Amino acid sequence: MNANLFLALRQGFPQDLDSLAIETDQGLRYSWRDLDRASAMLANWLGSLDLPEGSRIAVQVDKSVEALMLYLATLRAGHVFLPLNPAYQSAELQYFIGDAEPAVVVCTPANFGWVSKLAFQKGSRYVMTLDDQRGGSLLQRAAHHSDQHTPAMRRPDDLAAILYTSGTTGRSKGAMLSHANLHSSAQCLHHYWGFASSDVLLHALPIFHVHGLFVAIHAALISGCSMLWHGKFEPQRVLADVSRATVFMGVPTFYTRLLALPSLNAQACAGMRLFISGSAPMLVDTFTQWQQRTGHTVLERYGMSETLMLTSNPYAADERHGGQSLRVGGSVGFPLPRVSLRIADTQNREVPEGEVGSIQVRGANVFAGYWRMPEKTAQEFTSDGYFITGDMGSRDAQGYVRIVGRSKDLIISGGLNVYPAEIEDALNNQPGVLESAVVGVPHPDFGEVGCAFVLAKSGVTLSPEALLQALKSQLANFKVPKQCVVLQELPRNAMGKVQKNVLRDQALSLRSTH
Ligand code: AMP
């Protein structure tokens, strides 16, 4: 049987191929037939290049429906899709292209000069262009090809995509995802979140990342549900479309920015079925405010490039709670069906309920390893086949999972473990604090100590000394950061993740100037 993921997605398309699949914020409308035909033409073009099996197709372009068609075409042709953040500059691209050795690189017309030079130097055979207005050489080439195409035969374990991890803690690694990994996760989300062809997904996420590409787009395509497509997240424009949508997926920053709009209320969200958040922790305050303002309870879920989706708060009524749907703020919910998750100690044994340990997972969704890094891959799997996520967490009596941070963010002060999430929670509960991030910095006596960065709520002036004093009355002294800095903004990457490495550098430079 052909395990090509495209076939599974294509099966989800509705019977009426002329119905609306995607409407963009530029007013363009694409039918399911458009998606099918255009991806066939692009796949035929790829086929005409006679590339070796498993060739990588690297794509660094702005968000557009045509970029999505190129992804589908890559699946159809049986090659490996490699999306790259358009914000990457020359040195970064050099690393990715050198590491992945793509046969084809697709970039924006504006970047063609430097990208093509770099790609040809690294051995790529073709460099094409695509912009977000349907311009560039790629579509011109594809226009000469047939709009009929039979998807290439693929086995379940064949590679479908490589996603480079965001690398907030070190060198970015290419996570190799197979057709079966992606299919398993897409099917799971379709069922678990109750997707139907009557849904309308409001899509405002970037599509070079697992969240926008694999979680959102796969869930929509495999369910035959249409999308309202936003090139980028602009809160006003997104809110204006909420009334026409039924499902929204966002990173926590999307939610805080929407909450800043006075017109966000229950009426604006009356037609919505589901708000989903992930990629970074949502503050309980945001979760509660969203409930109060809109009447909707955000469903928070957890996953990563290497594993796709792992846990989710309940969508449907859940027998564990007497038939009630219970989504809990500050928790990422329960392991999804077919995902085995354990919270383990350093010997890879399950820790007792409530205790913090390393989150380890196994399942059909878990990737095949890091691209050309067999040793790194071996280090990240336990002998019984669990992937060590690098996240630390706990599970409560009801089974809800909570994430307390990355293991690399763990601060060991005077030999004792300090979890930044616990300190951040305590700080966030202080009057006037909007948000916080705690990092560890080397200390001659304690080995490491915490440094806290806080943001004030609008109109409030915070006193760092008073905040640290307040923490001392609530937390054991070894947990209290030795330094506190008030910032205007926290450094974040494109997915809204706080870049702790940037804060760590800042904390170090603060110390050296004191
Ligand atoms: P990425 O591969 O870029 O999606 O990053 C995955 C990482 O994001 C995970 O290992 C977690 O550290 C973090 N993450 C994703 N979802 C959540 C969430 N709901 N709460 C807390 N952290 C999350």
Side-chain angles (χ1 to χ4, degrees), residues 166 209-210 279-281 300-301 303-305 332 391 403 406 497:
S166 47
H209 184 266
V210 55
S279 287
E300 185 167 359
R301 85 336 173 251
M304 60 199 304
S305 306
V332 293
D391 291 310
I403 295 173
R406 303 282 300 160
K497 289 188 215 300

Side-chain angles (χ1 to χ4, degrees), residues 237-278:
R237 300 187 70 166
V238 165
L239 183 56
D241 260 355
V242 162
S243 60
R244 302 199 296 144
T246 63
V247 183
F248 177 67
M249 292 189 195
V251 295
T253 337
F254 285 11
Y255 287 92
T256 50
R257 298 215 176 133
L258 286 166
L259 278 166
L261 302 177
S263 48
L264 177 81
N265 55 31
Q267 204 190 343
C269 304
M272 287 293 290
R273 173 173 81 76
L274 183 59
F275 286 98
I276 302 174
S277 174

Side-chain angles (χ1 to χ4, degrees), residues 220-235:
L221 296 182
I222 209 164
S223 313
C225 98
S226 62
M227 287 187 262
L228 294 173
W229 182 271
H230 286 237
K232 48 178 178 292
F233 176 76
E234 286 176 24

